[in-house]
Amino acid sequence: SMEQHRAAIRSSMFIKAKHLPSGAFDKLKARLVAGGDQQDKSLYPNLSASTAATSSVFILAAIAAQEHRIVAVVDITGAYLNADMSPITVHMRVDPFMTTLLTKLKPSYAPCVRRDGGCIVKLEKALYGCVESAALWADHIKATLIADQFVQNFVEPCCYNRQFGKVQLTVIIQVDDLLVSCVDQSAIDGFLSMLRRKYKDLGVS
């Protein structure tokens, strides 16, 4: 409808070159980002999403060194897309180039192509750039960790701990990266297995 078209926010595609530790080119990484600056922030009751304090990361590094913990960094690919959008409907304009790619991947979208070659989509998952996406993802990963018997630290809300007998596994959340530490590799492996079942695509270093 014309009303949806007027209210639709823009989208942009960002492409970044990724390199191997040696400096050699590895691949191009593309990310579709919504123009959340066009959203009405007054419609959303909660837009805050905590991020771990730098001091918390340093404290975990000191504890890991003192206790000879194994440390892993986990990147959850497309993390925000795991969270459902809030009940507030958000429509987004997709440019003609991206619409062409979309209809190649999903021919069923062909009837939705507008005269200008673009299309308008309704967002069902939290997309990078939307004003509420960070908060929605923060709630989602918190629920995942709590369901896996982690306890949120009362001082640092981005830090979670779980006991495996006398062994503690600690996770610090930095947006879509998780810093994981434990003396027991099998505890880390079990945690990573849970994440893979939940989120499929992980990068671990």
Side-chain angles (χ1 to χ4, degrees):
S1 70
M2 284 300 294
E3 187 178 334
Q4 288 173 349
H5 182 262
R6 281 195 297 270
I9 62 177
R10 69 177 171 277
S11 62
S12 303
M13 178 62 74
F14 290 91
I15 299 174
K16 181 179 179 181
K18 304 292 281 186
H19 295 84
L20 300 169
S22 65
F25 173 78
D26 180 26
K27 60 186 175 183
L28 288 175
K29 181 176 180 181
R31 174 173 285 169
L32 185 65
V33 178
D37 58 307
Q38 297 182 306
Q39 289 177 265
D40 182 356
K41 293 181 178 66
S42 67
L43 298 174
Y44 301 90
N46 177 31
L47 296 177
S48 63
S50 300
T51 187
T54 303
S55 57
S56 300
V57 176
F58 287 150
I59 289 168
L60 179 58
I63 291 170
Q66 177 70 29
E67 297 182 358
H68 305 289
R69 291 188 180 198
I70 301 159
V71 177
V73 178
V74 181
D75 171 43
I76 299 175
T77 304
Y80 285 16
L81 297 175
N82 291 285
D84 294 329
M85 285 292 275
S86 64
I88 298 169
T89 299
V90 177
H91 289 98
M92 184 180 77
R93 290 190 302 275
V94 180
D95 68 31
F97 176 75
M98 291 304 302
T99 299
T100 299
L101 296 179
L102 178 62
T103 53
K104 282 183 180 176
L105 291 170
K106 291 255 187 181
S108 59
Y109 280 84
C112 303
V113 177
R114 299 169 58 83
R115 269 181 267 174
D116 63 3
C119 69
I120 293 177
V121 297
K122 176 185 173 186
L123 299 182
E124 295 185 355
K125 296 290 183 179
L127 190 66
Y128 286 89
C130 289
V131 294
E132 71 272 47
S133 292
L136 293 171
W137 164 246
D139 289 344
H140 192 280
I141 188 64
K142 175 181 177 178
T144 296
L145 294 174
I146 297 293
D148 199 47
Q149 301 176 36
F150 280 83
V151 176
Q152 189 174 29
N153 186 291
F154 66 91
V155 174
E156 171 54 84
C158 292
C159 179
Y160 294 79
N161 292 293
R162 180 179 172 185
Q163 290 297 131
F164 291 87
K166 294 183 179 180
V167 173
Q168 182 187 68
L169 191 151
T170 301
V171 176
I172 286 187
I173 301 171
Q174 288 275 50
V175 189
D176 54 1
D177 290 329
L178 307 181
L179 182 61
V180 183
S181 78
C182 187
V183 295
D184 186 349
Q185 182 66 56
S186 65
I188 293 177
D189 290 344
F191 175 65
L192 295 178
S193 293
M194 180 278 292
L195 289 180
R196 285 191 180 95
R197 287 193 301 273
K198 184 79 175 177
Y199 299 117
K200 307 293 185 289
D201 196 5
L202 303 181
V204 181
S205 56

